[in-house]
Amino acid sequence: NDIVLSPAKVELSLESGTEAVQYLDVTNRMGQDAVFSFDIEDFAPSGDSRGGVILDKTVDGLESSLKKYLSVNPQSLILSHGQQAHVPVTIRLPKKIIPGGLYGVVLVSGIPLRNEPSSTKIITRLGSMFFVKVNGPLNQSGVIESVSFHNDKIEIIFKNSGDIYLNPYGIINVYDYYSKKLVGKIDIDPWFVLPRSTRSRIITVGDLAAGKYTAEILLNSGYSDILDRRDLDITISSYAEKRPHRFLVF
């Protein structure tokens, strides 16, 4: 009783005045025939550390707007249950456009063709995020702003002070506080941080015995292989939430 959209994230590097086509795969798993429509919106920093917010209307003077350069054809179609569509999204950049980042989202809405007369109209909606880098001279700058530990979770706040989005990623090495022995590693998968904004990442520390540890946070800023490091002393209580997946214990 849902729909599948892939990819969820598209990243492209383009020259000004060029065109590219990216295909989205939409699969109907709603159990019946449904009409699918496609809308395009911009997204921008949310103003807090959550990441980005979809703008449901055009914002004048938004330099990072990708909406005006994206088009989807067809704008709507009907799919039977189990059927998949390969939908082209075209990006056309003008010749006179400054280097930097453009951000938009293609929203796909699925509505069953046959709703029960007395039932609520159900609309399933998903989005594919587009990150387009217009090549040219760019200022790339990002660092860990702070790290903290609360309720058996490490929070990393990353600040992007540059002109283009970044995908920081890294690893957390966990050492016994007293013996300094390495006892585990946690992968930090890439997450996007829009320019001139901050974004937090919450990571659960599980499957560790109660005790005191030192977490060595090694984060690649997502450009030029620049590595940022922070050390954080953490204490795991006997009631730590057990999350063994994606935690490698030695």
Side-chain angles (χ1 to χ4, degrees):
N1 296 320
D2 63 8
I3 64 177
V4 177
L5 172 66
S6 65
K9 181 182 180 183
V10 175
E11 296 183 76
L12 298 170
S13 294
L14 301 175
E15 302 290 339
S16 59
T18 60
E19 177 180 316
V21 177
Q22 172 68 44
Y23 286 88
L24 299 181
D25 290 328
V26 183
T27 306
N28 180 5
R29 300 196 311 187
M30 300 178 70
Q32 60 173 296
D33 295 351
V35 58
F36 292 84
S37 60
F38 301 89
D39 297 299
I40 299 171
E41 301 292 354
D42 289 316
F43 70 91
S46 60
D48 52 28
S49 60
R50 292 180 300 172
V53 60
I54 296 175
L55 307 176
D56 57 3
K57 61 181 180 179
T58 301
V59 177
D60 294 335
L62 182 65
E63 295 180 356
S64 63
S65 172
L66 182 61
K67 181 177 180 178
K68 53 193 171 186
Y69 306 129
L70 284 182
S71 62
V72 182
N73 187 25
Q75 294 184 330
S76 65
L77 51 84
I78 295 175
L79 295 177
S80 302
H81 174 70
Q83 188 177 8
Q84 182 182 84
H86 203 48
V87 181
V89 179
T90 302
I91 306 100
R92 294 186 180 92
L93 298 183
K95 290 184 178 180
K96 294 184 178 180
I97 185 172
I98 62 174
L102 303 174
Y103 314 106
V105 58
V106 177
L107 297 169
V108 182
S109 302
I111 305 175
L113 283 179
R114 297 183 302 277
N115 276 309
E116 296 297 330
S118 60
S119 65
T120 303
K121 187 176 183 180
I122 299 174
I123 300 176
T124 303
R125 202 179 198 198
L126 292 176
S128 180
M129 305 178 74
F130 278 69
F131 297 75
V132 175
K133 176 182 177 182
V134 182
N135 294 328
L138 292 169
N139 171 34
Q140 293 180 299
S141 179
V143 295
I144 297 174
E145 186 172 68
S146 65
V147 294
S148 59
F149 181 73
H150 305 284
N151 299 323
D152 301 316
K153 295 179 177 64
I154 294 175
E155 180 179 21
I156 304 171
I157 297 181
F158 186 87
K159 181 177 182 180
N160 181 353
S161 56
D163 301 329
I164 188 72
Y165 76 97
L166 297 174
N167 289 317
Y169 64 93
I171 195 169
I172 299 176
N173 293 319
V174 182
Y175 298 89
D176 180 82
Y177 181 80
Y178 300 100
S179 68
K180 310 304 179 185
K181 178 184 176 182
L182 180 67
V183 295
K185 292 185 177 183
I186 308 171
D187 288 328
I188 307 173
D189 293 333
W191 83 100
F192 74 86
V193 185
L194 294 175
R196 295 176 292 280
S197 70
T198 60
R199 191 177 183 193
S200 68
R201 183 68 179 270
I202 306 293
I203 300 170
T204 299
V205 179
D207 205 34
L208 279 175
K212 192 170 183 179
Y213 302 89
T214 298
E216 177 191 49
I217 301 162
L218 300 173
L219 198 70
N220 189 308
S221 298
Y223 66 97
S224 303
D225 284 330
I226 295 176
L227 201 64
D228 200 357
R229 172 182 169 172
R230 296 289 188 279
D231 290 332
L232 180 67
D233 291 337
I234 63 177
T235 300
I236 303 296
S237 69
S238 58
Y239 300 102
E241 184 178 6
K242 299 303 181 183
R243 296 251 181 119
H245 58 285
R246 295 184 57 215
F247 190 92
L248 185 60
V249 177
F250 298 140

